[in-house]
Amino acid sequence: MTVTTAKDALKKYFGYDSFRPMQEEIIDGIYNKQDALVLMPTGGGKSICFQIPAVTMEGVCIVVSPLISLMKDQVEGLRANGVNAAFLNSSLSSAEQSEVENDLFNGNIKLLYVSPEKLVSQSFFPLLQQANINLFAIDEAHCISSWGHDFRPEYKKLAFLKQQFPNIPLIALTATADKVTRKDIVKQLALDSPKVFIDSFDRPNISLTVRPGQKKFEQILDFIDKHPDQAGIIYCLSRKNTEDVASKLRGKRINATSYHAGLDPLVRSKVQEDFIKDEVQVVCATIAFGMGIDKSNVRWVIHYNLPKNMESYYQEIGRAGRDGTKADTLLFYSFRDVMVLREIIQNNRSENEAIQLSKLERIQQYADSLICRRKILLNYFGENLENNCGNCDVCKNPPQHFNGTVIAQKALSAVARCGERVGIRMLIDILRGSQRREILENRYDKIKTYGMGADISAYDWQHLIAQLINLGLLEIAYDQRNVLKLTPQSKEILFDGKAVQMVRMTDIKQRQEADKSKIKKKSVKERVRDELFEVLRKLRREIAQKSGIPPYLVFSDASLEEMAATRPLSEFDFSMISGVGEKKLKQYGKIFMGAILDFVSEKSGEGVQMEGATQLATFQLYNRGFSPEQIAMERGIAEQTVYDHLVKMYAKGQGVDIKRFVKTAEIKQVVEVIASIEPPYKLKEIFDALDGKFPYHKIRFSLAYYYKKS
Ligand code: ADP
Ligand code: ZN
């Protein structure tokens, strides 16, 4: 088996032109019967690594997958691409099971997905022995390790595979495995000197933004407004939050629903299904949501609350943009959340409380960061990003510093004068000169800094105090009802006049404004592209509804985007779109090209400048059976122009039947003339050489024919 075979299969079945860097190496290893351990981030393209060997080698590939819903999804996806695949798990009736088993026995399946329970069952073993297996693929391989976070006891039994089938290569794949888990996977599966592939965990298509957690609902509305009709998830800490946010969104006519572990299982699976099928746009969920979902076109993720650590955060935002196209994430950050999370951790009284608290601190540092966020994120996972990413809020709007010494002094001095007994909210109220009863009762209105910060809004103060905390100038005493304490450094500011550099709050506001203006400034071309994308998306949804599969299995967002940008109208051009393989070209090519054609002619009818539109309008009439003369009449253009359009469409590979306009014998004559003269060929020269007997359009068709053939 060669890499060329693999590449051909990649185009034929999946419609992709090239492998991603690591895929090719991995596949090559499998062809050489080597075991492998593959670590790639979600969306990195793990599946291709075993699917291509499976379809190119003799026999069947057995894929072990822990989640029933994912199995179904993968199998549907493969079938949509014309690959014979099936799954076996407890969700099938026994009749269905034996049908699949028969197919396996008869060698009619290229990929068989099985649950670990099924694979290790006594009854299945004889079948395994008889089947012509070319590869074992263990997906979500971290489930085998009790060190990992999704330990599944049945995975442990998979060790028998290498004992029973020592000569069949085995590939273990996962998106999450630290060093310990990695070792454990290799050991437990008894892999035979496996090659270990570790891909970068960076997901550059996912934008990262952190905003202060204030006026969250307003911000969410604004965000969704910028992501019209795009599927997204809002992760909330509490069940109640999920329901509240969803119902408020519905109040704003946004198609939203909620999901949490307290809901009836039937309701939950309905929510999942609706989300997968683009029937609901927004799911407000607790972290219970997402595990069994492979939806590739989740376009955004919002964290309504701070996640408890970087691992969860990365896993959750990782559900966005699996198709590799642009996806946006937004994290709301507030000290309130930090306090709530600390309480949860402390109430759990788990033995690794200290670790959990320090993990919480790490994500706080991330949220507070004034340097490229992706750097911090990847650094946390042991990777170094050389340059700033350019796709996080800090990179897009680098913060400007100003001398914040006076502001810091006001705040710190207020903390000191209140005897370090007040929390953030109280401190702000004191600085702003509030008349709250508690303030008067405690005589905080008598201190020197009372009301000295009234010129700064409460919102801005929140942010400024957060900075002081991050700078190590204030500390939150979590064990003393979250009051603020001074630190050794703060004393330098207060008493030694040391200067403090801070970031202006207005910068953060400007960032949001800048975001808005960026959205507004779309060119006509971009607007047209987006409009066509919408048209194609609707079409995709209709097709998906009819055939009962999720829309993203018809075409990914990435494919639709490419179609909207390049507007393919010939089979050839359509087949060049990434994600269009043979089966999809046949099955959907005509209907999608039809929609593109309609769109283009409608737009140009409206007077929008569209490249190639006038040719298309001509071509459309031609397809309806109009003669060139009739087309010229209908469109109010010269007949010569009509011919010009048809020649161009023909040259592009469109279905123009040139025999209608020029006879084969005539073409031959023209070609003879061409052969006798030097390029560049001038129409007039050919016309004269043929004694003016051939009308120009015949010459042009012949020329086009000639170019095509040579
Ligand atoms: P993972 O299992 O690692 O999360 P998938 O196998 O689901 O990732 O792949 C993620 C997305 O990338 C899918 O939409 C897949 O079709 C696409 N993809 C995989 N390999 C390639 C490739 N070589 N070229 C283009 N797209 C690819
Ligand atoms: Zn960045």
Side-chain angles (χ1 to χ4, degrees), residues 571-616:
E571 277 206 353
F572 178 75
D573 288 344
F574 199 80
S575 74
M576 297 302 281
I577 300 283
S578 176
V580 179
E582 272 179 15
K583 173 144 190 215
K584 287 187 178 170
L585 173 65
K586 241 190 239 149
Q587 202 167 2
Y588 306 127
K590 277 224 172 71
I591 179 161
F592 275 85
M593 284 190 277
I596 294 170
L597 193 62
D598 287 346
F599 177 84
V600 170
S601 40
E602 186 187 317
K603 280 285 132 192
S604 49
E606 287 166 14
V608 181
Q609 277 277 354
M610 304 274 289
E611 204 186 316
T614 171
Q615 297 158 23
L616 276 174

Side-chain angles (χ1 to χ4, degrees), residues 82-235:
V83 177
N84 273 337
F87 64 85
L88 272 179
N89 59 40
S90 55
S91 75
L92 296 183
S93 68
S94 54
E96 287 168 323
Q97 294 211 17
S98 44
E99 196 180 322
V100 173
E101 288 174 6
N102 267 336
D103 280 345
L104 173 66
F105 186 71
N106 295 323
N108 293 336
I109 298 178
K110 292 307 297 176
L111 287 118
L112 179 68
Y113 285 74
V114 290
S115 58
E117 294 84 357
K118 180 76 194 173
L119 186 69
V120 302
S121 71
Q122 293 275 325
S123 58
F124 192 58
F125 189 64
L127 214 78
L128 269 186
Q129 280 182 312
Q130 278 159 353
N132 178 15
I133 299 169
N134 55 26
L135 173 66
F136 287 108
I138 316 292
D139 210 1
E140 313 289 350
H142 59 276
C143 293
I144 201 169
S145 171
S146 41
W147 295 99
H149 57 277
D150 299 318
F151 177 53
R152 305 256 306 203
E154 321 82 71
Y155 259 67
K156 287 237 181 225
K157 299 189 187 141
L158 296 176
F160 88 99
L161 288 174
K162 272 282 109 170
Q163 290 157 14
Q164 295 292 334
F165 305 95
N167 296 323
I168 298 175
L170 189 150
I171 172 174
L173 311 106
T174 173
T176 45
D178 47 45
K179 281 196 189 122
V180 195
T181 314
R182 238 180 267 169
K183 270 197 194 150
D184 212 19
I185 294 173
V186 172
K187 192 172 128 217
Q188 303 229 29
L189 286 173
L191 298 187
D192 179 13
S193 42
K195 265 195 101 169
V196 180
F197 298 89
I198 303 173
D199 198 6
S200 164
F201 271 61
D202 192 11
R203 306 271 311 274
N205 61 314
I206 298 180
S207 78
L208 307 168
T209 302
V210 179
R211 295 241 179 95
Q214 283 145 350
K215 301 187 183 154
K216 292 196 259 195
F217 191 68
E218 260 171 56
Q219 296 198 56
I220 290 175
L221 281 182
D222 195 40
F223 184 95
I224 295 180
D225 195 45
K226 286 179 204 146
H227 296 81
D229 292 322
Q230 297 183 3
I233 306 172
I234 301 177
Y235 281 110

Side-chain angles (χ1 to χ4, degrees), residues 365-384:
Q365 285 160 2
Y366 167 81
D368 283 326
S369 171
L370 294 175
I371 63 162
C372 172
R373 293 197 202 277
R374 201 173 308 267
K375 276 193 165 163
I376 300 181
L377 191 61
L378 289 175
N379 195 281
Y380 182 84
F381 292 106
E383 258 182 70
N384 262 323

Side-chain angles (χ1 to χ4, degrees), residues 661-662 666 670 694-703:
F661 307 111
V662 52
E666 292 172 326
V670 176
F694 280 55
Y696 274 104
H697 74 263
K698 292 200 184 216
I699 300 174
R700 303 180 67 180
F701 272 121
S702 306
L703 255 177

Side-chain angles (χ1 to χ4, degrees), residues 1-15:
M1 212 54 63
T2 64
V3 169
T4 328
T5 330
K7 266 203 176 139
D8 290 346
L10 184 68
K11 183 70 204 165
K12 175 174 168 172
Y13 292 107
F14 301 96

